[in-house]
Amino acid sequence: RESYDLTSTEASLLMHPVDLSKLTEKVLDAFEPGIKDKGAVLTGAVDPMIIMNTDERLYSEVLNNLLSNALKAVDKGGKIRVSLNQNKKYIILSVTDNGIGIKKEDQKHIFDRFYRVDSSRNKALGGSGLGLSITKNIVNQLGGDIKLSSKVGRGTVFRIYFKSPEQ
Ligand code: ATP
Ligand code: MG
């Protein structure tokens, strides 16, 4: 089915206890060739045995969306880092790139549907401007929050916070 269809995404949430560490590694493994092709480097800092109730397919879609954006943001030799860790309060997934970065004015709109930064680079790279709105929508459905921090010319970090399961 069409993954851009938000209502059907909502209707098909399939929550299970998932080994998020393994799933994250699996998504990274699948993404790695694309990053290598561009001459960029992917590092994973994934803590083991992080278990959470989630929808595997939707979690993977979120991570794929963030990785695809990070890949578009970096040049040859660029670095992308994914970390997954857990503290008492949160399970935190982060995707960091040292690419072009996002201006403050653009950051405010970045999760809006169809919003794309207006630059010649972005025009050349294509894309519909839906990835981040879908990503945020999914993260919220999965019970999490997404935040970003970015500096033009330095790079961008997207962090997703899920509540840690009760001990
Ligand atoms: P789609 O994901 O639908 O194929 P897209 O990647 O252009 O298209 P979004 O994923 O919603 O759309 O991202 C919106 C815009 O935010 C992008 O066009 C890009 O300008 C900017 N952006 C997103 N992630 C990054 C990033 N890591 N670094 C720099 N700019 C980013
Ligand atoms: Mg995108």
Side-chain angles (χ1 to χ4, degrees), residues 102-155:
I102 305 165
K103 277 189 286 192
K104 266 266 156 356
E105 306 100 87
D106 289 319
Q107 288 180 29
K108 286 184 249 167
H109 309 288
I110 213 79
F111 294 106
D112 296 352
R113 296 190 82 184
F114 305 114
Y115 190 82
R116 305 188 66 235
V117 174
D118 190 23
S119 70
S120 53
R121 177 193 176 102
N122 233 14
K123 273 168 203 143
L125 285 171
S128 60
L130 278 170
L132 280 178
S133 74
I134 291 167
T135 297
K136 184 174 175 148
N137 190 286
I138 293 175
V139 167
N140 293 160
Q141 282 178 62
L142 297 178
D145 274 323
I146 183 164
K147 310 254 186 254
L148 85 146
S149 150
S150 185
K151 216 161 188 185
V152 172
R154 283 302 216 47

Side-chain angles (χ1 to χ4, degrees), residues 52-97:
M52 187 180 84
N53 221 34
T54 196
D55 180 307
E56 269 189 73
R57 191 182 54 80
L58 293 178
Y59 176 87
S60 306
E61 187 172 336
V62 162
L63 183 51
N64 269 308
N65 281 345
L66 294 179
L67 283 169
S68 107
N69 285 348
L71 186 56
K72 286 190 272 188
V74 296
D75 289 312
K76 196 173 188 298
K79 289 183 185 140
I80 299 170
R81 183 177 187 273
V82 172
S83 75
L84 180 73
N85 48 63
Q86 178 168 22
N87 60 32
K88 269 205 168 141
K89 277 193 154 166
Y90 300 108
I91 291 169
I92 304 162
L93 172 70
S94 75
V95 178
T96 306
D97 69 68

